């Protein structure tokens, strides 16, 4: 936790918060925090700044905060991702939140196992939990938007073209395609497939919507590695 | 498993292997393999090629192989990594093996918890297991070399200078440093710190050994994300 994320209900005075939950326990057990300590704080979806622990008791922390700095910039990207397996989904949510992806669209694909859609990790509270861990890690305050699209074809035909319009549209896919570009200017729409990759029909549909296939070399990366590698290469 | 990795003891004829272990179970349960199926195979630390399942029984697979293709190139890098926490170590070993890092040096650092050095995941069989998973994922056959250096100072003073000599030496570290270069030519020596980062003394010592500090932006990434992001950006 490199940033203590606050919400409106934490405030007991205009510039003071009282914490008793997971964040208090983390300050106590991991940071071994004490009264007088300074720490980085941020308002969820708001400004960041400094906090000073006024009173650290056995079951709560009272912290004075000054919020006067903007959150870091997000990457200019919409990431379209075939729903990964549940354990990887959690790590990817944390990862994209940490790396500054402002919008993630989870879609179906032929090679997504149907059971993946049943995972409790897709519930909004579970998604939010992972996103917040990513923000705390990165020192960001602004939650990414997560959109769930269970049907590939209507999404690719009806909604993706307008999302991709005016952006550099890319589909990450192993094969004889041009290499993924580096250090691009301007907004990107990037689609990353499931384990085993997109099927040709899907690559074609994404292409029709404005996303050109690109590759990352002959090594086949796990989806979470590919997400990080593509973001690091593009921006 | 995108590549079936073979070893000398698997061979029952010059071009035939008989598998009964984890790889057989994986072929049966995950790939639902049958006699006649073709699959990608590779000899550990050797050539890659095609295999054909001659006979798939309830407890073994007999496969004819033709090994005639070289393994993919490795990245020209020596990665120096402060020992991460055990769970992350496993994923990083798999990840660097998958991405083509040929040499990883695990070192101590002030912020590495002492208990991390006690993990069974540092035993050579456990390291090898993760590296092989990475090779199977990437379709590579050549095991990376893993070197364990428990003491920071003698490593940084006595051995790192000759490792870094003639390479682009970099230390990944958040702060007011130049950004990490992109798409470099030639060999690199890259040091990545623990959670919480290197301490200034360590950054100085790495610098004296020829490694210049560089940063990846204001977001603080988890170590495993930073490893992938730095590799993707450099190569």
């Amino acid at each position: 936790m490199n940033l203590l994320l606050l919400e409106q209900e934490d405030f007991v005075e205009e510039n003071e918060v009282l914490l008793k939950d997971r964040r208090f326990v983390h300050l106590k057990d991991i940071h071994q925090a004490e009264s007088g300590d300074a720490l980085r704080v941020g308002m969820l979806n708001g400004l960041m700044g400094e906090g000073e622990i006024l009173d650290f008791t056995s079951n709560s922390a009272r912290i004075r905060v000054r919020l006067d700095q903007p959150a870091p910039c997000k990457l200019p990207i919409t990431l379209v991702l075939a729903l990964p397996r549940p354990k990887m989904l959690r790590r990817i949510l944390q990862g994209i939140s940490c790396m500054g992806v402002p919008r993630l669209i989870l879609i179906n694909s032929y090679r997504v196992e149907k059971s993946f859609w049943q995972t409790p990790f897709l519930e909004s509270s579970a998604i939010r939990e992972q996103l917040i861990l990513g923000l705390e890690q990165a020192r960001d305050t602004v939650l990414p938007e997560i959109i769930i699209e269970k049907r590939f074809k209507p999404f690719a035909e009806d909604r993706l073209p307008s999302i991709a319009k005016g952006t550099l549209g890319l589909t990450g896919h192993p094969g004889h395609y041009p290499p993924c570009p580096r250090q691009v200017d301007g907004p990107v729409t990037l689609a990353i497939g499931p384990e085993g990759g997109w099927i040709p029909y899907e690559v074609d549909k994404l292409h029709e919507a404005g996303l050109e296939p690109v590759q990352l070399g002959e090594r086949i990366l796990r989806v979470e590695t590919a997400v990080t590698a593509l973001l690091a290469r593009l921006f």
Side-chain angles (χ1 to χ4, degrees), chain A:
Chain A
M1 190 165 79
N2 298 308
L3 179 81
L4 176 66
L5 263 182
L6 306 171
E7 299 189 54
Q8 204 54 61
E9 55 265 39
D10 299 323
F11 282 78
V12 289
E13 301 270 345
E14 197 187 335
N15 295 313
E16 284 178 29
V17 295
L18 187 69
L19 302 182
K20 299 179 171 185
D21 61 5
R22 168 187 78 88
R23 295 165 296 174
F24 164 72
V25 174
H26 189 96
L27 288 174
K28 182 157 70 91
D29 294 348
I30 310 290
H31 291 242
Q32 274 124 39
E34 296 177 0
S35 298
D37 284 0
L39 70 176
R40 306 264 301 188
V41 297
M43 185 73 187
L44 192 65
N45 294 318
L47 293 170
M48 317 203 305
E50 299 293 326
E52 184 197 346
I53 300 180
L54 300 177
D55 193 19
F56 204 87
T57 72
S58 59
N59 61 9
S60 72
R62 193 177 179 98
I63 303 169
R64 184 194 296 137
V65 301
R66 199 186 59 221
L67 299 165
D68 52 6
Q69 296 153 29
C73 293
K74 297 285 191 191
L75 301 175
I77 193 168
T78 297
L79 182 60
V80 177
L81 188 68
L83 183 67
R85 65 176 60 248
K87 264 180 78 173
M88 193 181 281
L89 170 66
R90 296 180 75 195
R91 285 206 299 270
I92 289 178
L93 288 169
Q94 219 180 105
I96 63 105
S97 174
C98 185
M99 291 189 80
V101 171
R103 183 156 68 152
L104 171 68
I105 303 173
L106 294 167
I107 65 169
N108 197 26
S109 150
Y110 183 79
R111 295 211 177 100
V112 169
E113 286 182 32
K114 283 203 176 57
S115 64
F116 294 176
W117 289 105
Q118 309 307 321
T119 174
F121 298 148
L122 272 177
E123 284 166 18
S124 62
S125 60
I127 288 178
R128 182 186 159 98
E129 185 185 337
Q130 297 305 318
L131 297 177
I132 283 182
L133 289 173
L135 296 178
E136 289 175 346
Q137 168 67 39
R139 289 195 183 148
D140 188 359
T141 65
V142 182
L143 281 170
E145 178 187 11
I146 310 294
I147 298 163
I148 295 176
E149 291 276 359
K150 277 204 178 177
R151 294 173 60 217
F152 179 86
K153 194 176 168 217
F155 170 71
E157 288 184 349
D158 303 337
R159 290 185 287 287
L160 185 55
S162 62
I163 292 168
K165 195 176 174 184
T167 73
L168 176 64
L170 304 170
T171 296
H173 193 59
H176 296 287
Y177 299 112
C180 177
R182 296 170 186 270
Q183 199 177 7
V184 300
D185 290 320
V188 172
T189 307
L190 171 66
I192 299 179
E195 277 181 77
W198 304 106
I199 60 171
Y201 166 84
E202 291 166 343
V203 176
D204 290 346
K205 278 289 175 195
L206 294 167
H207 201 168
E208 284 167 25
L211 275 55
E212 304 271 341
V214 293
Q215 49 84 16
L216 254 191
E218 56 187 319
R219 292 174 182 276
I220 302 176
L221 304 180
R222 288 162 63 91
V223 175
E224 62 181 311
T225 310
V227 169
T228 302
L230 285 162
L231 293 174
R233 186 173 162 122
L234 283 166
F235 300 105

